[in-house]
Every structure is written in C-alpha cells, then in structure tokens.
Amino acid sequence: MNRRLATAGYRHEGDLGIPGREAFQAPIGIRPHHLYVVVARLKPHLNHVLLRDYLRRHPDQVERYSQLKKGLARQFTADRAGRAAYSEAKRTLVEELLDRAYADQGAA
C-alpha cells in the first residue's frame, strides 16, 4: 500500500500519534489534503466514523471543534512537528467528543 501511494505522490507521515492509523500527505500540485488509512472495523476506524457521525448530529459541537482547529492552525506550523503539536493540542477535545459519541451509541 505505501509503495502504491508513494508512486501516486503521497508522502507517508506515520501514525501522527494515533496508533493503528497511517497518515499520508497529498502530492504537490493538487488541493492540499491528508489521507488516513485504517483497517475497517478496528478502533481507529470506529473512532473516525463515530466522531464524524456525532458531529453530524451535534452542530454546536461542530462549531466548538471548528473554532479550536482554526485557532490551532494559526498557532502551529504546517511541518511535521507543527502537525504533531496541533494534534496533541486538540487531543483533549477529541477525546471528550469521542466519549460522548460512544455514550450516544450505547444509548441508541
């Protein structure tokens, strides 16, 4: 997989602090984005899906998360160290939102 993505111009960035998830930076010359690869139905995948679904149901939390991310994006550089610091700085809120998402799932 890494070889195929590298051939397409993606740069592997490791797990960026989330074990079980591999991050790739987009090729130069196309719209900037990150590609995350996880194994379906394992915890990193479930976390992504549950957080996404929780945020879709709670627009007030989307605004909260968005404001944090925008502020952190202004604070940290776009290099590897800056992205790691950005991820660490939003960890507390992400964990809180995931706890709420898991609780919602149990209540459903």
Side-chain angles (χ1 to χ4, degrees):
M1 170 194 48
N2 287 1
R3 202 171 316 147
R4 285 188 206 165
L5 289 170
T7 300
Y10 283 88
R11 191 182 76 198
H12 185 234
E13 297 188 309
D15 68 9
L16 298 181
I18 300 178
R21 178 191 81 175
E22 296 301 317
F24 296 83
Q25 189 173 31
I28 295 172
I30 65 170
R31 184 171 186 229
H33 66 278
H34 283 90
L35 172 68
Y36 298 106
V37 177
V38 295
V39 176
R41 294 181 293 281
L42 293 184
K43 188 156 177 70
H45 177 247
L46 184 58
N47 286 349
H48 276 274
V49 171
L50 285 176
L51 181 59
R52 177 203 66 197
D53 291 349
Y54 179 81
L55 290 172
R56 285 178 175 171
R57 291 188 311 273
H58 297 89
D60 59 317
Q61 297 303 314
V62 170
E63 182 60 27
R64 185 175 168 214
Y65 187 46
S66 175
Q67 291 303 315
L68 175 65
K69 287 172 61 82
K70 288 175 184 175
L72 295 175
R74 287 189 296 272
Q75 184 178 347
F76 297 107
T77 58
D79 60 10
R80 186 177 181 87
R83 284 190 300 274
Y86 167 90
S87 292
E88 185 57 36
K90 69 177 188 162
R91 181 179 307 277
T92 300
L93 180 56
V94 169
E95 288 173 354
E96 175 192 327
L97 295 173
L98 277 171
D99 286 345
R100 290 178 180 203
Y102 276 97
D104 274 9
Q105 183 187 36

